[in-house]
Amino acid sequence: MTSGRIIFLNGTSSSGKSSIARELLDILDDGVFFHMAVDGFNAMRSKRELGAEEFDAALRRTRMGFHRSIAAMAQVGNDIVVDHVLSEPWRLLDCLTVLRPEDVLFVGVHCPPDELARRELTRGDRPPGLAAHQYDLVHTHGDYDLECDTSAASPRECAQRIKEFFPHRPSPTAFTRLRRHYLAGCQEPLTA
C-alpha cells in the first residue's frame, strides 16, 4: 500500500491556514484529500473546567494524538492537508518522529503581526494577542519546502501555488532535513 501524501501548513493562529486548506480541498484533483486541523481535535475535548496542570497535560495528549492520527490516515493511503501551529519545539519533534518525512510538503504560512492582530479582532474567537505570542515561535526551525504570505496573496492564490509546487517536491524534503538535524541531537534551528 502506498502511503498518503501530506501537505503540512504551519503558521500562527489567524495566519490563514484553514482558509488555504479549504481552497486546497477545492482545487486538488489528483487524489482524495482530507483536511485535518488541530482546532478540530481541540473542539472534540469535553468542556469541563480543568486546572492549569491538568489542562496542559490534556493539550499535550491532544497534540500527540493529532500527530498520530495524521500518521495513521496517511499510512493507509489517505492524502492529508494538515493545519497546525508548531508553537512549541516538542510538537515539531513529535511530528518528525511519527510522520514519514519523504511524504510531507512542509509549508510555512506567514502574515505580518499587524494583520494578524486585525484578523484576531475581526474573528472574535481567539484570545487577543495569541498570534503575537506565537509569531516568533512557529517558524524558529528555519526550514520549509514552500512559504506563503497571506497578506500578499489570497487563500486561493496560496493554494494554487501549493498545488503547482506539490508535484515538484524537493528531495530531500524539509521534513527529511529537519529530522536529520534535530533527531541527530542538534537543538539549534536549521539555517538555510
Side-chain angles (χ1 to χ4, degrees):
M1 179 178 308
T2 303
S3 290
R5 300 164 295 168
I6 301 170
I7 298 173
F8 195 116
L9 306 173
N10 176 48
T12 65
S13 173
S14 301
S15 63
K17 301 178 306 296
S18 296
S19 297
I20 293 170
R22 284 189 295 274
E23 294 292 345
L24 282 166
L25 291 185
D26 190 44
I27 66 172
L28 289 169
D29 53 9
D30 68 335
V32 177
F33 282 82
F34 294 84
H35 176 202
M36 295 182 71
V38 72
D39 287 347
F41 271 62
N42 288 332
M44 290 189 275
R45 191 176 54 249
S46 62
K47 304 302 179 213
R48 77 175 179 86
E49 289 290 320
L50 301 173
E53 192 173 303
E54 189 179 9
F55 183 70
D56 288 345
L59 280 181
R60 186 175 182 94
R61 288 191 312 272
T62 302
R63 303 296 188 267
M64 292 177 79
F66 176 58
H67 303 159
R68 282 148 184 79
S69 296
I70 297 163
M73 286 286 285
Q75 185 179 23
V76 296
N78 293 298
D79 294 325
I80 312 294
V81 177
V82 175
D83 170 350
H84 204 356
V85 181
L86 297 174
S87 58
E88 295 175 287
W90 76 264
R91 294 180 193 185
L92 173 61
L93 294 175
D94 197 46
C95 288
L96 293 172
T97 301
V98 301
L99 302 178
R100 284 176 33 102
E102 59 274 13
D103 296 336
V104 179
L105 174 69
F106 198 26
V107 180
V109 180
H110 300 277
C111 186
D114 57 335
E115 177 60 14
L116 290 169
R118 187 196 67 74
R119 290 178 186 180
E120 267 182 355
L121 187 62
T122 301
R123 287 175 69 154
D125 65 347
R126 298 287 191 267
L130 177 62
H133 170 73
Q134 297 169 343
Y135 190 78
D136 289 328
L137 303 173
V138 297
H139 304 295
T140 59
H141 53 80
D143 193 10
Y144 286 109
D145 296 309
L146 183 65
E147 299 183 66
C148 298
D149 180 345
T150 61
S151 70
S154 71
R156 184 67 163 220
E157 291 167 333
C158 292
Q160 188 62 43
R161 186 167 172 232
I162 293 165
K163 178 185 176 182
E164 290 168 5
F165 185 85
F166 196 46
H168 311 288
R169 291 188 305 277
S171 183
T173 65
F175 251 53
T176 300
R177 294 186 301 269
L178 288 163
R179 185 176 188 170
R180 285 179 191 153
H181 179 77
Y182 284 112
L183 300 184
C186 298
Q187 297 305 312
E188 295 300 315
L190 196 65
T191 53

